[in-house]
Amino acid sequence: MKWYHMGIKTRDIDASLSYYCDVLGLRIIETVEILGKKFVFVGNDSMQIELEQGNPGDTQAEAATMTGLNHFCVTVEDIYGFVKSVREKGGTVLNDPIHPRPDRLTSFMRDPDGVLIQVIQYV
């Protein structure tokens, strides 16, 4: 098995596209319409995220108080530079990089829909 993509249902697809492309640096891979609904895949050479426009009345999930998917994680080469760039571009960074294990630095951030994203730099 290999990871193909993960899907995020968003209240504002344009805000999510701006975040994942302009703030995190991913690019639009493909836009498709299925049963009258637009899905946009963003990613790079090793990962993809499917962004789906939410429906009126959908409520935001809160990972801290629910079971199930809590966060997803990506790796970067320079976590300090990445965190600085996310902040400069208006992204929400929850903590400066910390050293929780001998082989890595880590930080968490939230996307516009509250999705937790962990960032790791192996050292």
Side-chain angles (χ1 to χ4, degrees):
M1 222 184 305
K2 289 170 52 174
W3 184 40
Y4 180 63
H5 74 267
M6 64 175 297
I8 298 174
K9 196 177 202 184
T10 176
R11 70 180 172 271
D12 181 343
I13 200 161
D14 292 326
S16 289
L17 282 170
S18 176
Y19 179 81
Y20 284 98
C21 294
D22 301 335
V23 176
L24 296 189
L26 301 177
R27 68 182 184 281
I28 294 175
I29 304 292
E30 179 180 27
T31 301
V32 297
E33 187 174 311
I34 302 169
L35 300 173
K37 193 167 198 177
K38 181 169 102 170
F39 296 82
V40 182
F41 290 81
V42 298
N44 57 30
D45 294 337
S46 64
M47 63 175 282
Q48 287 189 32
I49 298 170
E50 172 190 308
L51 299 174
E52 172 189 354
Q53 178 64 53
N55 301 306
D58 286 349
T59 57
Q60 182 173 322
E62 177 50 59
T65 61
M66 300 167 57
T67 60
L69 181 65
N70 178 266
H71 68 277
F72 71 90
C73 181
V74 297
T75 60
V76 296
E77 295 292 320
D78 174 13
I79 196 167
Y80 291 104
F82 188 80
V83 165
K84 180 181 179 195
S85 175
V86 168
R87 280 190 171 126
E88 288 173 349
K89 294 175 181 176
T92 301
V93 176
L94 300 178
N95 65 284
D96 288 326
I98 60 171
H99 211 142
R101 292 164 59 180
D103 67 341
R104 70 194 69 186
L105 295 163
T106 190
S107 179
F108 280 88
M109 46 201 62
R110 285 194 189 274
D111 83 351
D113 288 290
V115 175
L116 282 173
I117 304 165
Q118 182 180 18
V119 180
I120 288 177
Q121 175 187 337
Y122 286 100
V123 293

